[in-house]
Amino acid sequence: GPIIPLLSGWIIYTRRQDFLVAREEGGNFWGVPVVLVCLGIHGWATLRDVNFPQGFAMIGVIAGLALLLWGWERAKILSFPIAFLCFMVPVGRLLVTKLSNPLQIGSAAVAARVPMLLGVPTQVHGTTIVIPDYTFEVAQACSGLKSIIAMTALAALFTYLVVAPMYKRVILLAASVPVALAANSCRIAFTLILGRSFGPAAAEGFFHSLSGIMVFLLGLAGLLLVAKALKCEAMREDIM
């Protein structure tokens, strides 16, 4: 989350010349209703003690102010870095109640296939994977939900930086979800293999802490492979 506004600021900084030379047209008063509506949503969410909409409402206020102060041309230049701020809004509590359990069950089912293919007797009971001498519980933290959010943010940034038709960018962004799930399942499978080979202490010790980085690296590699398959290899020179 804290990295997102830094990346948005970096994008704005790299496009500062485009912003300065954009056709000067003054402010656009369509920004006023945008600001008022978003402030209304923020006020309602604050009164109802609903935290989820507040962050998105304030990002809407920023977008409305950009339109009000600088007009359409400059607001369009700022549209992606402002929209990218949505990834810094905490949505875990909302999504955990809806998606966490299905993702836990799915990740357990996919990850269990690896020891099965290696000839290891494996049983799956919901979110629990049982192999000889080791039992692994796919907890909420291992559901892959956080990996999906992080990988989607990375894919959104990548699709903005890459030179490609819009349909390829959409495919690349959509691919971030299965890529993140596959990377998370690989993490669980490696944990099972370590637990089977070297015992629970090896699987749940240093490797378990390091495996979060492994998920990110695997997801990044998968995203780059999808980009290569789509022939999205050139990067925008006006930003890079």
Side-chain angles (χ1 to χ4, degrees):
I3 298 175
I4 298 298
L6 297 178
L7 291 172
S8 291
W10 169 73
I11 294 173
I12 293 172
Y13 176 77
T14 56
R15 298 205 63 189
R16 62 192 184 280
Q17 292 300 325
D18 294 333
F19 183 83
L20 292 174
V21 302
R23 182 168 59 86
E24 184 65 45
E25 58 180 31
N28 190 306
F29 281 97
W30 279 108
V32 173
V34 174
V35 170
L36 293 177
V37 168
C38 291
L39 284 176
I41 294 173
H42 188 276
W44 169 85
T46 302
L47 290 174
R48 299 296 297 269
D49 195 25
V50 182
N51 296 326
F52 173 68
Q54 293 179 24
F56 293 107
M58 291 311 299
I59 293 171
V61 170
I62 295 173
L65 287 174
L67 180 60
L68 175 64
L69 296 174
W70 296 307
W72 284 111
E73 291 299 318
R74 289 180 171 177
K76 282 193 295 185
I77 294 174
L78 299 176
S79 59
F80 177 81
I82 291 175
F84 191 64
L85 292 174
C86 291
F87 287 106
M88 76 176 180
V89 180
V91 294
R93 185 184 301 176
L94 175 71
L95 295 181
V96 161
T97 57
K98 301 292 184 181
L99 301 177
S100 186
N101 190 250
L103 288 175
Q104 288 172 259
I105 295 173
S107 296
V110 173
R113 297 289 180 181
V114 175
M116 287 180 184
L117 292 174
L118 296 176
V120 179
T122 306
Q123 295 181 342
V124 182
H125 306 286
T127 61
T128 304
I129 306 173
V130 181
I131 60 176
D133 304 320
Y134 186 53
T135 299
F136 183 83
E137 176 72 25
V138 181
Q140 281 187 351
C142 300
S143 65
L145 184 59
K146 291 183 178 180
S147 300
I148 291 174
I149 296 172
M151 197 55 58
T152 304
L154 181 64
L157 179 62
F158 186 72
T159 55
Y160 181 72
L161 298 178
V162 76
V163 178
M166 181 56 67
Y167 78 93
K168 289 188 177 182
R169 296 185 180 189
V170 173
I171 293 173
L172 192 58
L173 183 62
S176 63
V177 175
V179 164
L181 290 175
N184 188 62
S185 296
C186 287
R187 172 195 188 184
I188 299 172
F190 284 140
T191 304
L192 292 172
I193 294 171
L194 277 179
R196 168 63 173 165
S197 303
F198 303 103
E204 298 174 1
F206 176 74
F207 173 77
H208 193 269
S209 301
L210 186 66
S211 59
I213 300 175
M214 185 190 76
V215 170
F216 182 79
L217 293 177
L218 287 174
L220 179 60
L223 198 61
L224 292 175
L225 285 175
V226 174
K228 188 173 183 62
L230 292 173
K231 297 182 179 179
C232 302
E233 299 174 357
M235 306 300 287
R236 292 174 53 170
E237 295 182 358
D238 60 329
I239 296 178
M240 303 303 292

